[in-house]
């Protein structure tokens, strides 16, 4: 058992729906075990500027259903430097913080990994990102909400596509990952998906448009933001128009709408379960690990391993998209 008295809590990187549910779970669990919680605003940036404040039971009332993060978030350049991290550590010490819980994605855990090695402070991470690109959890907090936002939007696009007999190229988020595109492609009945992991490029889409059914009245192609080989959604749209001038093609980029909104039940439960587990892990002496859920069970993965993205997209799932969109 580790003697933890004051947990510093922060969110970092891109926000994700469910982060507030995770904050609530951490605060309430810590208080349950008589551990203090210090909120840190704007992630690593706030550690450096000293934007720290005590949190109590009521500071997390009525937030479980809210999108965004009440702790705010940022990406910090200064934390990349040794001097910046030293200032952050000194600020944490002056507030009596003796452990950290960080909620975020790749960048958050890279920072936590370096910080935890340089200074003697145990850190546990919660996977909070819509991208679902962490190793060590089946799903990240925010992913379920984001994919539901995407299919709601694509269903609306389908209405207008169908009315006008159009092809829509829809770009979804996922900086280096096709996970959002893959699931929403299946769920929206997309004609085709383009994701960075597949490396099939535009040729696969052209083949589909040339040799697929000709009597389709609307077509949706989902493109992951990280699929950069073809120059992004607008460039893909331009090339499709050039090669298939008879298809009435439009491009729609869903953008940051995917990061907002009320978290789904799945995200709230995932956030609550991992939030509780994070505090209990610190009490047990864990450090430098991300807590996730694999096959519905709490699992811990060292930061260095968690930040190695899933690149193992299941080829069977891609096969499903192709087969069902005949
Ligand atoms: O990592 C989450 C994410 O939403 C990515 O999918 C996207 O590429 C990125 O953040 C966008 O970041 P920003 O908010 O800085 O535009």
């Amino acid at each position: 058992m580790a003697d933890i008295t004051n947990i510093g809590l922060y969110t970092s990187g891109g926000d994700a729906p469910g982060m507030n549910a995770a904050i609530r779970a951490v605060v309430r669990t810590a208080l349950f075990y008589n551990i203090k919680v210090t909120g840190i605003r704007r992630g690593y940036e706030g550690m450096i500027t000293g934007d720290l404040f005590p949190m109590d039971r009521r500071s997390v009332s009525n937030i479980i259903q809210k999108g965004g993060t009440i702790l705010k978030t940022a990406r910090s350049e200064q934390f990349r430097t040794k001097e910046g991290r030293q200032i952050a550590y000194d600020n944490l010490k002056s507030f009596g913080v003796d452990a950290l819980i960080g909620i975020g994605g790749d960048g958050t855990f890279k920072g936590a990994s370096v910080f935890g090695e340089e200074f003697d402070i145990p850190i546990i991470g919660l996977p909070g990102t819509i991208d679902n690109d962490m190793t060590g959890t089946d799903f990240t907090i925010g992913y379920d909400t984001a994919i539901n936002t995407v299919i709601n939007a694509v269903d609306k696009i389908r209405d207008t596509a169908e009315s006008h007999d159009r092809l829509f190229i829809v770009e979804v988020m996922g900086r280096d990952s096709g996970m959002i595109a893959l699931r929403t492609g299946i769920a929206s009945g997309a004609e085709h998906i383009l994701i960075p992991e597949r490396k099939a490029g535009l040729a696969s889409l052209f083949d589909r448009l040339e040799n697929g059914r000709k009597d389709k009245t609307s077509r949706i192609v989902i493109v992951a933001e990280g699929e950069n080989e073809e120059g992004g959604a607008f460039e893909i749209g331009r090339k499709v128009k050039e090669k298939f001038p008879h298809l009435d093609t439009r491009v729609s980029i869903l953008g940051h709408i995917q990061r907002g909104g009320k978290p789904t039940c799945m995200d709230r439960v995932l956030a609550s379960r991992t939030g509780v587990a994070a505090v209990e892990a610190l009490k047990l002496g864990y450090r430098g690990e991300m807590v996730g859920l694999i096959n519905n069970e709490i699992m811990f993965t060292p930061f260095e391993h968690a930040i190695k993205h899933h690149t193992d997209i299941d080829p069977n799932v891609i096969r499903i998209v192709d087969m069902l969109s005949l």
Side-chain angles (χ1 to χ4, degrees), residues 75 129-131 173-175 225 256 259:
R75 295 187 168 105
T129 164
I130 64 163
D131 291 354
M173 271 188 170
R175 199 195 330 250
E225 175 193 8
H256 288 79
R259 288 237 296 262

Side-chain angles (χ1 to χ4, degrees), residues 162 165 191 208-219 246-247 325-326:
E162 186 69 20
D165 298 325
E191 174 82 18
R208 189 93 197 155
L209 295 176
E210 243 156 30
N211 303 315
R213 240 177 59 205
K214 297 284 180 295
D215 60 344
K216 287 202 171 184
T217 47
S218 65
R219 292 179 173 86
H246 64 286
L247 293 178
S325 66
L326 283 182

Side-chain angles (χ1 to χ4, degrees), residues 104-319:
D106 211 36
T108 308
F109 299 147
K110 278 185 190 144
S113 183
V114 175
F115 198 55
E117 272 163 29
E118 270 172 6
F119 300 99
D120 183 25
I121 187 157
I123 313 177
I124 294 290
L126 264 70
T129 164
I130 64 163
D131 291 354
N132 201 33
D133 60 351
M134 311 301 303
T135 302
T137 191
D138 289 339
F139 300 108
T140 54
I141 299 163
Y143 176 62
D144 187 60
T145 308
I147 57 181
N148 279 291
T149 300
V150 170
I151 60 162
N152 282 328
V154 176
D155 287 350
K156 289 177 178 141
I157 290 174
R158 176 73 81 176
D159 289 344
T160 176
E162 186 69 20
S163 306
H164 285 265
D165 298 325
R166 279 179 173 159
L167 180 156
F168 268 84
I169 313 276
V170 181
E171 185 188 283
V172 299
M173 271 188 170
R175 199 195 330 250
D176 312 299
S177 160
M179 294 299 271
I180 295 178
L182 194 59
R183 289 220 166 206
T184 58
I186 295 175
S188 61
E191 174 82 18
H192 200 71
I193 54 163
L194 290 168
I195 55 175
E197 297 89 340
R198 192 179 187 186
K199 303 256 175 277
L202 211 48
S204 63
L205 172 62
F206 285 179
D207 177 55
R208 189 93 197 155
L209 295 176
E210 243 156 30
N211 303 315
R213 240 177 59 205
K214 297 284 180 295
D215 60 344
K216 287 202 171 184
T217 47
S218 65
R219 292 179 173 86
I220 302 284
V221 175
I222 306 274
V223 181
E225 175 193 8
E227 159 56 88
N228 288 323
E229 266 178 45
E230 304 296 343
F234 281 115
E235 187 54 18
I236 291 172
R238 195 191 61 73
K239 288 176 182 164
V240 170
K241 280 182 195 168
E242 198 175 86
K243 191 155 171 68
F244 302 92
H246 64 286
L247 293 178
D248 193 4
T249 302
R250 294 288 188 277
V251 176
S252 180
I253 296 187
L254 299 188
H256 288 79
I257 191 174
Q258 295 162 90
R259 288 237 296 262
K262 278 173 170 294
T264 59
C265 180
M266 294 293 277
D267 274 331
R268 296 182 204 189
V269 174
L270 173 63
S272 301
R273 289 184 68 184
T274 49
V276 171
V279 176
E280 291 181 338
L282 283 175
K283 275 173 61 61
L284 289 170
Y286 285 51
R287 48 168 66 212
E289 310 224 24
M290 184 196 84
V291 52
L293 216 54
I294 299 179
N295 292 332
N296 207 25
E297 276 191 44
I298 292 290
M299 295 285 178
F300 293 89
T301 305
F303 287 141
E304 316 80 76
H305 191 51
I307 54 190
K308 291 200 181 93
H309 299 199
H310 298 276
T311 40
D312 48 340
I313 290 271
D314 184 350
N316 226 350
V317 181
I318 293 184
R319 194 176 65 91

